[in-house]
Amino acid sequence: MFLKFLITVFVLCFYAYTIFAQYPPQYYAELVPYRKGNLWGFCDWRKKIIVKPEYQDVKLFINELAKVKKNNKWGLIDQKGEIFLPTAYDLVYGASKQTHITVYKGTDKSGHQGKWGFSPKYKGKIKEIFEEIPLKYDLIRECGEKGLLGIMQNNLWGVITHEGRTQIVPQFEVENVENHSFFQKNSPNESLKIDALEEKNNYIYLKLRFQNQLARVRKNGKWGFINTFGNEILPLQYDFVSEIAENMVTCAKDNQILFWDTKNKIFLQENSQLDFSMYKKQVFKNGLVFIKKDGKFGFLDNKGILQIPCKYAQIHNFNENIALVSENEVFTKTTWQIINNKGEKLGEIPEGYELADTQFQGGFLRVKEAPQPPKGEQKNQKGENSRFYYFLDKKGNFLLKEGFFYAEKFIANSALVVNIDKKMGYLSDTGEWFLPDEYEFDKTEFDKQFFLPETQHNLFKVKKNGKCGIVGEKNKVIIPFIYDDLQFIPLKIDQKPQRNLRFI
């Protein structure tokens, strides 16, 4: 009797296993691209093929949909491999079956040479025929507000909701340089490239962007701010208004400078000089903004109090509570001082070096060797013309005495650098190599693009001898350098830790 019971339990368990083994937990989250020859499909984490390889290219699943490419056009498939949106578009942005889909047809990869369409909820097939999404916009972009998208028609911007309703009819000009992202989060510190905008014969793509539910726009030649419904919050009557920085906006009107507090909706009016060469960079940083009186610069706080006297001939904005100032009027003979937000001098830029940046980041400032007249550039020990990069701390001391052929700014206590032998690595804020300098740098592509290591979970995707691999702490090789490419695949955060990171 007991033996019969055990046999019954075994049969039931085996039957249950055969059913549930086909549907492992979080099955769809684990589909990854799979290549056979030159074609792509999808497999699960056990390498079982779920979507047979038949596409030129595929992207990772977002929710239950993935982008796939066929005949040089993109579409969407679900987790079973069934077509949801036909491969008929040059760009596709789809969140899920239950939300909106945005598409584009045109020759430009960033979407500026064709037409855009939007569907609040794509219906898919209608009697065996896929519904077409009308293409009626010149451009669609995220605009910094949840549930809204910026739309452009005839170079004028408006807003639609994710339900497809027009909330602001296209009527405004903008001056925000776009970053070619669609759903990427806006950075509040993203700087406006005024100089690039004013260069001749240099067309810069722009987009509508909201900050704190306000957008900087122009109409009939005058600037102001609107809210997400198109209502004027700061009347469109100014010759110039800056982006919002620390809840403050710099306004220029009739040769006067005013500062608008966006939080309290009040003005701080300071009797200061309008400097036509500087006013577009006049924004609050670390609670201070520079002003000009009697031909000299100083710093004003957000309550209208002059905190640092106007005594400098040249000046840069604060960042990390540090600013660069100079009392020299002649630019070529400038001695830059490093001051804190109380106006106290901390140090200065050593003689023989010039600024590569105008602000500190991550506690350091990049400088370059100044040109040596009359030859202009020195030859280094390799016999090549180059002016090396160096890092200075907030007191003007060198992080390292050695120079670098190229150096990025410090981010998260490290900086990407290329040494004089054209080898690339990471430098820590203590002056030590975070990754050794054994990874490649292709000098011929330096001015265009070079290989930047991706990071995730303290692992680094790097390149060596033309092949990709994964390196961990203490330079431990996690995945050998044998692949043409590798991708970090983000999975759901509720998955088991040992399966939280995968590569293809």
Side-chain angles (χ1 to χ4, degrees):
M1 189 71 178
F2 182 73
L3 180 61
K4 185 177 181 180
F5 172 77
L6 289 177
I7 294 173
T8 302
V9 171
F10 175 79
V11 171
L12 289 174
C13 290
F14 180 78
Y15 180 71
Y17 172 79
T18 59
I19 293 176
F20 291 109
Q22 302 177 47
Y23 306 98
Q26 299 166 352
Y27 169 83
Y28 292 134
E30 298 185 12
L31 293 183
V32 296
Y34 173 85
R35 185 177 71 176
K36 185 176 182 180
N38 293 324
L39 297 179
W40 288 86
F42 287 90
C43 66
D44 63 16
W45 66 277
R46 294 188 180 96
K47 297 186 179 180
K48 178 182 177 182
I49 297 177
I50 306 301
V51 180
K52 66 178 183 179
E54 59 177 305
Y55 298 103
Q56 289 173 271
D57 196 3
V58 297
K59 302 297 182 183
L60 296 175
F61 273 89
I62 300 177
N63 297 323
E64 71 269 32
L65 297 177
K67 289 194 286 187
V68 294
K69 187 177 185 180
K70 201 170 190 177
N71 299 323
N72 294 319
K73 299 293 182 181
W74 290 94
L76 295 169
I77 63 169
D78 62 21
Q79 304 96 324
K80 296 179 181 179
E82 295 180 358
I83 297 292
F84 179 70
L85 177 73
T87 51
Y89 302 94
D90 294 293
L91 290 173
V92 173
Y93 296 92
S96 73
K97 289 183 178 180
Q98 304 302 318
T99 56
H100 61 274
I101 289 179
T102 307
V103 296
Y104 163 79
K105 286 185 179 181
T107 58
D108 181 61
K109 291 183 179 180
S110 56
H112 295 281
Q113 306 293 329
K115 287 289 185 178
W116 288 78
F118 176 84
S119 176
K121 186 176 178 181
Y122 184 64
K123 298 177 182 178
K125 282 187 178 181
I126 301 178
K127 293 182 179 181
E128 304 300 323
I129 300 175
F130 282 97
E131 180 186 27
E132 290 190 10
I133 299 178
L135 306 174
K136 60 179 182 179
Y137 302 109
D138 298 328
L139 195 62
I140 301 178
R141 282 288 189 267
E142 53 80 26
C143 63
E145 284 294 327
K146 186 177 181 180
L148 300 179
L149 292 172
I151 54 171
M152 186 182 75
Q153 291 178 318
N154 299 319
N155 292 320
L156 298 177
W157 284 86
V159 167
I160 59 173
T161 68
H162 283 185
E163 290 75 36
R165 176 174 55 86
T166 300
Q167 186 152 303
I168 302 177
V169 175
Q171 59 185 295
F172 299 108
E173 297 175 74
V174 299
E175 200 180 57
N176 298 311
V177 178
E178 74 163 351
N179 55 10
H180 285 171
S181 69
F182 196 85
F183 295 111
Q184 205 173 69
K185 197 172 183 179
N186 280 308
S187 168
N189 296 322
E190 183 181 346
S191 59
L192 180 64
K193 300 176 182 177
I194 295 292
D195 295 336
L197 288 172
E198 294 179 345
E199 281 185 25
K200 295 181 179 179
N201 303 319
N202 185 18
Y203 188 77
I204 303 294
Y205 292 120
L206 309 174
K207 71 174 181 180
L208 177 71
R209 185 185 67 187
F210 286 91
Q211 266 184 280
N212 304 330
Q213 298 185 327
L214 296 174
R216 173 179 177 264
V217 298
R218 178 171 60 188
K219 189 174 182 180
N220 299 324
K222 296 295 182 180
W223 289 95
F225 277 83
I226 60 170
N227 64 12
T228 54
F229 294 96
N231 301 320
E232 295 184 22
I233 305 303
L234 180 67
L236 276 66
Q237 62 183 29
Y238 295 92
D239 300 319
F240 171 81
V241 295
S242 71
E243 289 287 349
I244 300 173
E246 300 182 358
N247 296 319
M248 301 296 292
V249 170
T250 302
C251 310
K253 182 182 179 182
D254 300 330
N255 293 330
Q256 288 186 332
I257 287 287
L258 303 93
F259 300 105
W260 182 51
D261 185 336
T262 64
K263 189 175 182 180
N264 299 309
K265 303 296 187 294
I266 60 173
F267 278 97
L268 299 177
Q269 189 164 359
E270 172 67 24
N271 184 22
S272 59
Q273 180 182 346
L274 176 63
D275 189 318
F276 287 97
S277 66
M278 296 286 287
Y279 74 96
K280 291 186 178 181
K281 300 176 183 178
Q282 209 165 339
V283 295
F284 275 85
K285 293 292 294 290
N286 301 146
L288 297 171
V289 63
F290 67 79
I291 61 169
K292 192 174 187 179
K293 284 186 177 181
D294 301 323
K296 299 291 185 179
F297 291 100
F299 286 91
L300 190 79
D301 69 14
N302 54 17
K303 295 181 181 179
I305 301 173
L306 189 66
Q307 292 290 348
I308 299 177
C310 296
K311 62 178 182 178
Y312 300 106
Q314 298 183 61
I315 204 164
H316 289 296
N317 280 318
F318 269 88
N319 195 48
E320 300 182 353
N321 293 313
I322 299 293
L324 296 168
V325 296
S326 176
E327 297 179 4
N328 303 108
E329 295 184 358
V330 181
F331 183 78
T332 56
K333 297 181 180 180
T334 299
T335 300
W336 289 102
Q337 301 176 32
I338 305 169
I339 64 170
N340 61 18
N341 55 7
K342 296 180 180 179
E344 300 168 338
K345 180 180 176 181
L346 303 179
E348 63 182 38
I349 307 303
E351 185 178 354
Y353 296 88
E354 63 182 19
L355 302 181
D357 301 310
T358 59
Q359 296 176 341
F360 278 80
Q361 180 171 309
F364 294 94
L365 178 78
R366 294 184 305 172
V367 297
K368 292 187 73 174
E369 294 172 326
Q372 300 297 317
K375 295 182 180 180
E377 290 188 337
Q378 296 175 319
K379 286 191 175 182
N380 58 36
Q381 58 265 45
K382 295 290 182 179
E384 298 173 343
N385 291 325
S386 179
R387 292 189 289 124
F388 293 145
Y389 286 84
Y390 297 82
F391 289 103
L392 298 180
D393 65 16
K394 293 182 179 181
K395 293 184 178 180
N397 301 317
F398 288 95
L399 175 62
L400 289 177
K401 292 183 178 180
E402 65 180 276
F404 298 99
F405 176 70
Y406 180 75
E408 290 281 345
K409 297 179 182 180
F410 266 87
I411 299 176
N413 303 320
S414 63
L416 180 75
V417 296
V418 179
N419 70 7
I420 60 176
D421 296 317
K422 310 300 187 297
K423 295 295 184 180
M424 182 177 66
Y426 271 102
L427 183 70
S428 75
D429 57 3
T430 60
E432 300 173 336
W433 284 102
F434 190 69
L435 283 180
D437 58 347
E438 62 186 67
Y439 304 109
E440 294 169 354
F441 169 69
D442 187 351
K443 181 184 175 184
T444 60
E445 292 296 317
F446 176 72
D447 292 331
K448 301 175 183 177
Q449 182 180 0
F450 57 92
F451 187 84
L452 292 174
E454 295 180 36
T455 62
Q456 186 168 311
H457 297 274
N458 293 323
L459 299 177
F460 291 78
K461 169 188 168 183
V462 292
K463 224 172 189 179
K464 187 176 181 180
N465 298 325
K467 295 293 184 179
C468 289
I470 302 294
V471 175
E473 294 180 357
K474 298 182 180 179
N475 198 33
K476 181 180 179 181
V477 176
I478 308 299
I479 294 181
F481 297 92
I482 59 175
Y483 298 100
D484 294 330
D485 197 9
L486 289 165
Q487 294 180 26
F488 288 107
I489 301 177
L491 302 180
K492 292 184 178 180
I493 59 173
D494 58 350
Q495 287 181 307
K496 295 180 181 180
Q498 65 267 28
R499 284 162 47 187
N500 205 30
L501 185 66
R502 299 196 181 281
F503 308 91
I504 56 171

